Amino acid sequence: MYRTHSNGELRLENLGEQVILAGWVQKIRDKGFMIWVDLRDRYGITQLIFDEERTSKTIIDQAKSLGREFVIQIKGEVIERVSKNKNIPTGEVEILVKELEILNKSAVPPFTIEDETDGGDELRMKYRYLDIRRNPVKNNLIFRHKVAMEVRKYLSDEGFIEVETPVLIKSTPEGARDFVVPSRMNEGQFYALPQSPQTFKQLLMVGGMDKYFQIVKCFRDEDLRADRQPEFTQIDCEMAFVKQEDIINAFEGLTKHLLKEVKGVTIDKFPRMSYNEAMKRYGNDKPDIRFGMEFGELNEVAKHKDFSVFNNAELVVGIAIPNGNTYSRKEIDKLIEWVKRPQVGALGMVYVRCNDDGTFKSSVDKFFDQNDLSNWAKATNAKPGDLICVLSGVTNKVRAQLSALRMEMAERLGLRNPEEFAPLWVTDFPLLEWDEETERYHAMHHPFTSPKIEDIELLDSDPGKVRANAYDLVLNGNEIGGGSIRIHDKKMQALMFKHLGFTPEKAAEQFGFLMNAFEYGAPPHGGIAFGLDRLVAILGGQETIRDFIAFPKNNKGRDVMIDAPSAIDEEQLKELNLKINL
Ligand code: ASP
């Protein structure tokens, strides 16, 4: 037996017991005649004591040779500690060591294995296996496990079946580039790694599985904006014979269950908002509704004077920053600089100070009088003491810019409390989205999403206005899940591909398998997928998904620990009939 107990287990009631423990040396305190060693494993820390009077000389000498992170096994007796440590569960006892075996030595670790470490990000990633020994990382992985288990438990109890789908497949269009894998046996041909199991889960519905889920890896070759991973995990789900309402209810249930089980938070009913309303009120399709600062549109009360900036703008819109009137001129100038940074991209910002006496002082006093400004205050719900920030320009750009400012101000004002949970369903997304680069419409969700029946006639005349049966679940300003009711009819699917610019031949080549399946009695179906990494991070009160992934990649998509990606042998290339052309 390697160990009789873990290092998180022993208490006063174990006094006098002979135990065997194993683990890593966390800390050594050598007082000459007495040595204490903190022994660590996943379960905790137990203090060992070596003492000249009670421990043999050979063992004391052995103890003196220990270093940090050595792996040892000890035999000894549980005794009561003289000075107790109330901060750890085992803090009332220690082990008087009688035998010690060094199972493995350790080089000096490149950073300290403590909750607060001196290791920088890159170093911690290179030695991730050491990083995982640290409580914050270890606890995050345990937390992730707990969430995943609760997901499986809940969905299984609700009748969902977990089915695995293949990883070597053909492209699934989820709006990103595919990772591809060359096939040796099929010369010159490639598999794509799934951006999601989308088409497979739909085929499982045609196959009569009725309720499917899978905790599954997905792969998207995108430029890695902050906090994205090229491979990530989804809780992927699909149901047959459902309407949007059924899906929303089922997965509101799952989310409530998780909030309750892992956070002890009970939320009654999740609010809902249409995409258009979210854009109008928050400039964002995943609004953080833990705080206010809602948008006030000002076109009607700001476009009647000689101020050409506003008169030429499609949208004039503002937010009221609580107590913002305390800002000095310099601080406001800095804020203006902030919105003008290329990442935000505003051309300028108009502001209005809301004085405590009910008067207003603005940066455009030349054009607007007190009455105008009081109308702005009404529209933005500004109170005396607030600062109104106003942006103007092309609608979708201005909304994105003001939304960035709203989030930034909430962050600065401490309004984004990670222990508060504000879920929100956003519904009625547009079916199509104009892409400036390719100058054509793309599916906003994916090409299998069904349009709202009542909007179908707009497909030809005003495609951008067609709404989809698509919904997102937002939590604290992050999209944690998204899905749709699917097209289950071959003709409709073909029409959709046509509007997305596929020729019938191209559509048949890429998605013939799905359209064929639709000829064999495809049931109405729909589903959703949650981003497990993000969900876990938010439930864990953090926003960085890397902290909840055992072996994450850096923002260049590299695993710096195993050094991937890397070149392959000439031999391997030959076998695959590939040539590198750099
Ligand atoms: N496959 C979709 C995605 O990855 C989710 C869904 O529509 O169910 O976003």
Side-chain angles (χ1 to χ4, degrees):
M1 210 196 242
Y2 252 112
R3 52 187 175 183
T4 54
H5 296 81
S6 78
N7 290 317
E9 216 177 323
L10 295 169
R11 303 283 186 275
L12 276 179
E13 55 266 29
N14 301 99
L15 285 188
E17 286 178 28
Q18 305 299 316
V19 296
I20 309 174
L21 301 181
W24 287 264
V25 172
Q26 168 86 25
K27 212 195 281 163
I28 307 160
R29 266 159 301 142
D30 185 350
K31 294 259 163 194
F33 58 96
M34 243 188 237
I35 304 166
W36 286 275
V37 171
D38 280 354
L39 190 64
R40 183 195 68 236
D41 61 13
R42 195 184 98 197
Y43 312 93
I45 285 184
T46 300
Q47 178 166 295
L48 313 178
I49 179 167
F50 302 80
D51 135 20
E52 258 180 12
E53 284 180 11
R54 294 177 287 178
T55 312
S56 81
K57 168 100 174 54
T58 9
I59 292 182
I60 297 254
D61 287 346
Q62 243 185 325
K64 282 186 193 283
S65 76
L66 293 176
R68 280 198 289 140
E69 300 308 312
F70 275 38
V71 187
I72 62 172
Q73 182 192 42
I74 60 101
K75 283 191 186 150
E77 182 185 334
V78 184
I79 60 173
E80 186 165 1
R81 248 158 100 158
V82 179
S83 59
K84 304 203 164 45
N85 178 354
K86 294 271 178 235
N87 298 323
I88 56 172
T90 61
E92 293 188 304
V93 298
E94 58 192 355
I95 313 300
L96 178 63
V97 178
K98 306 212 171 119
E99 284 175 44
L100 165 67
E101 186 175 347
I102 297 175
L103 300 173
N104 215 338
K105 291 186 179 175
S106 170
V108 176
F111 49 85
T112 52
I113 315 287
E114 303 276 353
D115 292 5
E116 294 289 334
T117 177
D118 53 357
D121 237 27
E122 191 78 8
L123 198 60
R124 291 200 293 115
M125 290 307 145
K126 187 162 165 103
Y127 297 91
R128 185 62 160 176
Y129 45 89
L130 296 180
D131 202 25
I132 292 172
R133 291 185 193 165
R134 296 173 51 240
N135 281 322
V137 185
K138 176 195 80 184
N139 290 339
N140 284 353
L141 294 183
I142 295 172
F143 184 74
R144 182 186 178 113
H145 161 79
K146 189 161 178 215
V147 174
M149 290 307 284
E150 288 301 334
V151 167
R152 289 204 158 97
K153 204 158 81 193
Y154 182 86
L155 290 178
S156 181
D157 286 350
E158 292 290 314
F160 286 80
I161 307 284
E162 184 160 24
V163 183
E164 290 172 75
T165 52
V167 172
L168 296 174
I169 65 164
K170 203 160 151 159
S171 179
T172 43
E174 299 274 359
R177 224 171 276 117
D178 288 322
F179 280 103
V180 295
V181 181
S183 163
R184 180 182 56 80
M185 289 193 282
N186 303 273
E187 283 178 16
Q189 296 190 323
F190 293 80
Y191 301 100
L193 301 184
Q195 293 184 34
S196 87
Q198 185 60 38
T199 48
F200 286 95
K201 65 174 170 174
Q202 292 192 238
L203 292 169
L204 285 170
M205 293 305 106
V206 181
M209 285 309 289
D210 201 57
K211 287 172 158 189
Y212 142 94
F213 87 102
Q214 182 182 193
I215 295 188
V216 61
K217 272 286 170 81
C218 302
F219 307 86
R220 297 184 190 178
D221 186 5
E222 325 183 71
D223 292 332
L224 299 175
R225 280 177 278 144
D227 206 28
R228 292 263 184 130
Q229 289 280 312
E231 56 173 304
F232 59 96
T233 307
Q234 283 190 346
I235 310 165
D236 190 43
C237 313
E238 197 77 3
M239 301 169 83
F241 303 109
V242 283
K243 295 224 159 100
Q244 174 167 314
E245 197 58 31
D246 303 302
I247 303 265
I248 287 185
N249 287 332
F251 293 98
E252 186 164 317
L254 169 66
T255 313
K256 276 185 191 169
H257 174 81
L258 295 176
L259 282 164
K260 178 107 202 308
E261 290 305 315
V262 302
K263 297 306 290 185
V265 171
T266 314
I267 295 180
D268 187 26
K269 191 142 182 55
F270 295 2
R272 297 185 195 181
M273 196 180 285
S274 72
Y275 170 87
N276 284 339
E277 189 183 346
M279 294 308 286
K280 204 172 155 72
R281 287 170 62 186
Y282 300 95
N284 196 318
D285 61 3
K286 41 178 190 298
D288 190 338
I289 57 167
R290 280 174 297 182
F291 53 92
M293 281 196 266
E294 282 191 34
F295 285 19
E297 296 199 345
L298 305 176
N299 279 9
E300 277 176 25
V301 287
K303 282 177 81 146
H304 59 298
K305 291 285 169 74
D306 284 340
F307 190 51
S308 61
V309 177
F310 283 1
N311 293 345
N312 297 332
E314 193 182 355
L315 178 68
V316 183
V317 58
I319 52 171
I321 296 170
N323 300 318
N325 194 22
T326 53
Y327 284 23
S328 66
R329 180 61 214 258
K330 223 165 135 196
E331 282 171 311
I332 295 180
D333 284 345
K334 270 209 190 135
L335 210 54
I336 296 177
E337 283 314 308
W338 190 89
V339 295
K340 284 164 81 176
R341 296 177 329 148
Q343 297 93 315
V344 182
L347 291 175
M349 184 180 96
V350 164
Y351 65 86
V352 184
R353 290 178 175 283
C354 305
N355 297 322
D356 290 337
D357 63 5
T359 62
F360 302 96
K361 176 91 194 78
S362 82
S363 56
V364 283
D365 277 352
K366 245 203 297 182
F367 302 97
F368 299 96
D369 58 27
Q370 292 289 310
N371 189 37
D372 294 320
L373 300 179
S374 105
N375 284 330
W376 298 12
K378 252 183 241 143
T380 55
N381 213 359
K383 310 261 168 318
D386 291 356
L387 179 76
I388 307 174
C389 297
V390 182
L391 301 182
S392 61
V394 180
T395 302
N396 57 2
K397 291 202 172 127
V398 181
R399 281 177 171 168
Q401 293 156 1
L402 194 62
S403 168
L405 178 65
R406 176 177 177 268
M407 294 301 273
E408 171 70 15
M409 293 317 298
E411 196 68 55
R412 291 191 197 179
L413 295 169
L415 301 174
R416 306 193 68 198
N417 173 6
E419 288 305 318
E420 187 186 334
F421 294 94
L424 170 75
W425 287 103
V426 178
T427 61
D428 303 344
F429 274 81
L431 182 71
L432 303 165
E433 176 175 46
W434 182 253
D435 183 57
E436 303 264 339
E437 231 170 77
T438 51
E439 298 204 320
R440 59 184 188 84
Y441 280 105
H442 282 248
M444 190 153 184
H445 189 46
H446 50 56
F448 316 110
T449 295
S450 66
K452 287 206 184 288
I453 300 285
E454 60 270 33
D455 291 356
I456 286 182
E457 53 192 34
L458 292 171
L459 259 178
D460 287 314
S461 54
D462 198 352
K465 281 250 152 56
V466 178
R467 290 166 306 156
N469 291 314
Y471 33 80
D472 275 358
L473 182 56
V474 174
L475 185 59
N476 295 359
N478 293 278
E479 179 204 326
I480 57 160
S484 60
I485 296 298
R486 326 298 183 189
I487 297 168
H488 64 280
D489 167 77
K490 183 175 177 178
K491 267 207 224 101
M492 176 57 104
Q493 190 63 69
L495 181 70
M496 194 62 210
F497 284 135
K498 184 180 130 216
H499 280 280
L500 293 171
F502 285 78
T503 60
E505 294 73 34
K506 188 84 190 150
E509 179 193 315
Q510 264 195 285
F511 301 110
F513 64 94
L514 186 69
M515 294 207 280
N516 283 345
F518 286 173
E519 292 202 87
Y520 292 92
H525 59 285
I528 191 167
F530 288 81
L532 179 67
D533 310 282
R534 175 111 22 230
L535 176 61
V536 169
I538 297 172
L539 291 175
Q542 296 172 35
E543 288 200 354
T544 328
I545 65 172
R546 268 158 46 118
D547 295 343
F548 290 84
I549 296 173
F551 300 106
K553 298 195 168 44
N554 73 9
N555 56 9
K556 289 226 171 62
R558 294 202 71 82
D559 182 325
V560 293
M561 181 182 69
I562 60 171
D563 197 22
S566 56
I568 59 171
D569 287 346
E570 201 50 47
E571 263 313 290
Q572 268 177 301
L573 283 174
K574 229 198 238 151
E575 233 171 28
L576 295 164
N577 285 303
L578 291 180
K579 260 208 190 80
I580 302 286
N581 185 10
L582 280 180

